[in-house]
Amino acid sequence: MKKDIVFTLPAEALEGATEVVLLGDFNNWVPGKEFELKGQKDGSFKTVVKLEEGETYHYRFLLNKGKWVNDYKAQQYTTVAGLYIENCVITVSESA
């Protein structure tokens, strides 16, 4: 079963960016299939993605089609071998 998961990037992470998209395992990291985050009144950006319960996904945010940033509130981070970066990791909890 899929569950709505909210992804938010706070204003202080934007570094002046006006466009924020979310890429990850859930869309095979494919540009053109990303999830666009919408600006909020508090300056943050937010989107909701339906993800499968019990699954674990890696993801990151892409600012203005050029700079990658991580989720400040990710459940955990994992190093990507050979790339010297860390991906954010989320495991979607199962409903009771």
Side-chain angles (χ1 to χ4, degrees):
M1 184 149 123
K2 291 195 174 188
K3 183 187 255 186
D4 285 343
I5 304 298
V6 177
F7 290 90
T8 305
L9 191 62
E12 59 268 19
L14 296 174
E15 300 178 12
T18 56
E19 179 183 304
V20 181
V21 296
L22 175 66
L23 291 148
D25 294 338
F26 37 78
N27 58 9
N28 293 317
W29 298 89
V30 176
K33 292 186 178 180
E34 73 270 7
F35 295 92
E36 184 178 349
L37 282 76
K38 300 291 183 192
Q40 306 299 300
K41 289 181 182 180
D42 66 359
S44 66
F45 277 69
K46 178 173 94 170
T47 193
V48 178
V49 180
K50 287 191 178 297
L51 297 178
E52 197 66 43
E53 291 181 5
E55 295 294 320
T56 298
Y57 302 92
H58 291 207
Y59 67 96
R60 295 186 85 195
F61 298 106
L62 183 60
L63 307 179
N64 290 345
K65 299 181 182 176
K67 179 174 172 108
W68 291 98
V69 296
N70 281 342
D71 186 341
Y72 283 22
K73 296 182 179 180
Q75 290 176 353
Q76 65 185 57
Y77 304 92
T78 186
T79 302
V80 179
L83 295 181
Y84 306 104
I85 61 168
E86 288 187 331
N87 282 343
C88 306
V89 179
I90 184 172
T91 300
V92 181
S93 62
E94 295 190 33
S95 298

